[in-house]
Amino acid sequence: RAKARGRGRVEVHDPQTTSTAADRLRLLGELRRGIAEGQLRLVFQPQVRLSDGRVTGAEALVRWQHPTRGLLPPAEFIDVAEQSGLVRALGAWVLEAAVRQAARWARDPRAATVDVSVNLSARQLTDPGLVAAVSAVLARHRLPPHLLVLEVTETALIADPDAATAALAALKDLGVGVSVDDFGTGYASLTYLQRFPVGELKIDRSFVMGLGQSDGDDGIVRACVQLAHAVGVRAVAEGVETEEQRRALVAMGCDTVQGYFFSRPVDADALQEWARERRG
Ligand code: C2E
Ligand code: MG
Ligand code: MG
Ligand code: MG
C-alpha cells in the first residue's frame, strides 16, 4: 500500500513479508470463520471541529478479537483480506455495524449526534454493488445519509478514476459524505481532485507528525489545507498527538482534527462519554 511505502520509512515488522503463504492461508481461514462467528469489533475515534471544539464525527476502525491472539489491529489482517476478496465480507460487516451504531446515536436524545466515517477498501470502491449496498444499509437502519461518511484513499481513487468518479457521484446523490483518506501519500492530480465529488480531504498522519518540527511538513500541511479550501471541501488532519500540532492546525485554518491528543479509538459508549465530558 502506498501508505506503507510513504515517505521512505522503514517498516520494522511487516507481517506481509515475514509470514509465509501457509501462515496467510491459515489467517484467511481464521478470519473467514471469525467474521461468521462475530469476532469483529468496531472502535471509534472522535473528530473535533476546531472552530468550537465540538465532537462532530467519529471514525469507525475495525478490530478482530482473535480467539487465541487477542485483539488484533487492521494491520494484522486487512491486507490479507484485501488480496483474497474476503475484504468484501469484512467491509459489509463494518458498514452494517457502523451504520447501526450511528443510527442508535442519532435516535438517542442524550447522545451527541455525530457522523460516522467508514473506511472503504479499494475493492469495495470499484464493486458495482457498492451503491446499492450502502443505500440498503441506510434504509435498514433509517440513518439520515448525511450521517455516514465513506473514507477512500487517494490510491484507490486513482487506480480506476472513471469507476471511482461514477461511484462517488452516485454516493453523493444518495447524500452520503466522501472523504479522501491519507491525502498527500498518493498521486492524485489536481485535475482529479477537482473532478472527484468529495466533501473533505484527510491529511495523512505522516505530515501532521512533523508539524512544528519540520518546515517541510508545515508547508505541506498548510498547502493541503489551502488546496482543500480552494476546491471547496473541508480539511481534516489525522494523527494529531500534541498541543503544538493542534495549535499549528488552528493557525493554518484546518477545519477538523482527530488523534491521540484528543482521544484514542474507544468503544461506542466511551466515545459518547468522552463527548459528554467535553461538552460539560
Ligand atoms: P486510517 O483510516 O488512516 O486510520 C487512522 C489510523 O491511525 C488508525 O489506526 C488510528 O488508530 C490511528 N491513529 C489515530 N490517531 C492517531 C495518533 O494520534 N497517532 C498515531 N500514531 N496513530 C493514530 P488503525 O485503527 O490501526 O487502522 C489502520 C488502518 O487500517 C486505517 O488507517 C485504515 O486504512 C485501515 N482500516 C481500519 N478499519 C478499517 C475498515 O473497517 N475497513 C478497511 N477497509 N480498512 C480499515
Ligand atoms: Mg480512515
Ligand atoms: Mg487516514
Ligand atoms: Mg493514515
Side-chain angles (χ1 to χ4, degrees):
R1 301 171 60 214
K3 191 163 88 170
R5 290 194 303 268
R7 316 205 70 198
R9 273 185 288 146
V10 176
E11 294 280 305
V12 178
H13 172 72
D14 182 351
Q16 219 50 48
T17 52
T18 55
S19 67
T20 64
D23 288 339
R24 285 199 297 278
L25 203 62
R26 192 188 44 194
L27 187 74
L28 209 53
E30 290 178 348
L31 181 57
R32 187 173 291 115
R33 274 189 60 181
I35 296 172
E37 294 180 2
Q39 293 168 9
L40 296 184
R41 310 276 181 264
L42 285 184
V43 288
F44 296 88
Q45 188 176 38
Q47 301 179 324
V48 175
R49 187 164 57 199
L50 283 174
S51 61
D52 58 6
R54 297 288 288 234
V55 181
T56 56
E59 179 173 10
L61 295 157
V62 71
R63 300 288 181 264
W64 176 16
Q65 186 66 60
H66 187 280
T68 56
R69 295 169 62 203
L71 195 65
L72 301 181
E76 299 282 335
F77 58 90
I78 285 281
D79 282 358
V80 172
E82 175 88 30
Q83 284 158 17
S84 70
L86 189 58
V87 78
R88 281 161 174 257
L90 185 145
W93 183 88
V94 168
L95 185 65
E96 184 82 34
V99 167
R100 182 187 305 117
Q101 186 58 64
R104 236 180 243 150
W105 284 336
R107 276 193 306 267
D108 181 352
R110 290 163 313 155
T113 298
V114 294
D115 55 46
V116 172
S117 294
V118 171
N119 293 284
L120 288 192
S121 74
R123 269 197 207 236
Q124 282 177 282
L125 181 65
T126 51
D127 182 339
L130 172 70
V131 177
V134 170
S135 172
V137 76
L138 290 171
R140 193 150 57 238
H141 296 282
R142 286 187 230 89
L143 181 72
H146 73 275
L147 292 178
L148 176 65
V149 177
L150 298 177
E151 296 194 2
V152 296
T153 64
E154 208 182 341
T155 315
L157 286 173
I158 55 177
D160 187 348
D162 292 331
T165 305
L168 295 190
L171 290 170
K172 189 181 181 185
D173 285 344
L174 277 186
V176 167
V178 176
S179 174
V180 181
D181 204 355
D182 304 339
F183 183 71
T185 61
Y187 303 92
S189 72
L190 298 184
T191 312
Y192 279 137
L193 203 54
Q194 206 162 24
R195 192 177 111 183
F196 292 133
V198 302
E200 67 181 35
L201 298 184
K202 203 163 180 186
I203 304 162
D204 192 66
R205 183 175 87 222
S206 59
F207 304 113
V208 174
M209 245 166 46
L211 281 176
Q213 319 263 311
S214 143
D215 289 344
D217 285 346
D218 283 358
I220 289 171
V221 173
R222 182 177 294 110
C224 288
V225 172
Q226 289 171 350
L227 195 56
H229 293 166
V231 295
V233 307
R234 267 191 324 270
V236 182
E238 67 176 9
V240 180
E241 293 186 354
T242 68
E243 167 61 18
E244 185 182 19
Q245 291 164 351
R246 188 199 67 87
R247 227 178 305 120
L249 289 161
V250 170
M252 291 172 185
C254 186
D255 301 287
T256 307
V257 286
Q258 180 183 341
Y260 294 170
F261 178 69
F262 299 93
S263 168
R264 293 200 169 239
V266 293
D267 70 33
D269 289 344
L271 182 122
Q272 283 295 334
E273 207 171 296
W274 189 83
R276 227 179 346 261
E277 276 168 15
R278 235 183 125 72
R279 232 172 350 181

